[in-house]
Amino acid sequence: MCTALSFSGFTHCFGRNLDLERSCGQSVAVTPRRYPFAFRSGEELPRHHAMIGMAHVAGGFPLYYEATNEHGLSMAGLNFPRSAVYHPTCEGKCNLASFELIPYVLGRCATLSEARTLLEQVNITDESFAPGLSASPLHWMVADKTG
């Protein structure tokens, strides 16, 4: 079970807990603006917004649990077993694996409004990070100081 919250007032706060019974090798991860991302769809993002968050880094790819970019846009992937639904690749959409969604959105968007627009074009596929692993069953929370 994961719990997340976001609120704005005098200041904007975003947080979540990761109540796992064991460590998954997570640590603070910083992704600089010019760290090249290569997504499974073939799209590359050589320059993007910088981000910091908690991640397990595997094969040079930060598998973010949650992160915030340099503009204050934050995103968390929350466990959603038995309810997460992913789709096969869809022509005409930006096809992303669930583990790619956080760096893709935070790398390209500065605001929640931009993220909403970008997400309308995204199809989350059932592709796993590595052979023999199933796709992580997630749902996401995205927030900035506006909501």
Side-chain angles (χ1 to χ4, degrees):
M1 158 94 57
C2 296
T3 304
L5 63 92
S6 175
F7 63 89
S8 296
F10 176 71
T11 188
H12 171 69
C13 294
F14 181 92
R16 69 85 64 82
N17 68 342
L18 184 62
D19 31 340
L20 299 175
E21 296 175 3
R22 61 182 171 75
S23 172
C24 296
Q26 67 271 19
S27 63
V28 175
V30 176
T31 304
R33 291 182 194 111
R34 293 178 190 227
Y35 184 84
F37 280 111
F39 298 102
R40 299 280 173 98
S41 65
E43 182 174 348
E44 295 185 5
L45 196 58
R47 185 170 168 79
H48 49 77
H49 304 304
M51 58 195 86
I52 184 171
M54 293 301 293
H56 172 80
V57 179
F61 196 95
L63 301 167
Y64 277 110
Y65 296 90
E66 71 275 327
T68 299
N69 71 16
E70 63 187 285
H71 301 284
L73 182 64
S74 302
M75 190 167 180
L78 305 163
N79 199 26
F80 206 45
R82 298 181 306 274
S83 298
V85 176
Y86 301 139
H87 304 282
T89 300
C90 178
E91 193 172 325
K93 289 279 194 175
C94 173
N95 294 289
L96 296 171
S98 59
F99 62 87
E100 297 175 318
L101 192 60
I102 291 176
Y104 186 81
V105 171
L106 295 184
R108 295 181 53 130
C109 302
T111 66
L112 181 58
S113 177
E114 289 177 9
R116 284 183 174 144
T117 300
L118 181 72
L119 287 167
E120 289 176 5
Q121 301 304 315
V122 168
N123 175 50
I124 302 171
T125 68
D126 55 0
E127 188 171 353
S128 65
F129 180 72
L133 298 175
S134 59
S136 298
L138 301 174
H139 66 121
W140 292 266
M141 183 169 121
V142 184
D144 68 7
K145 65 183 177 182
T146 67

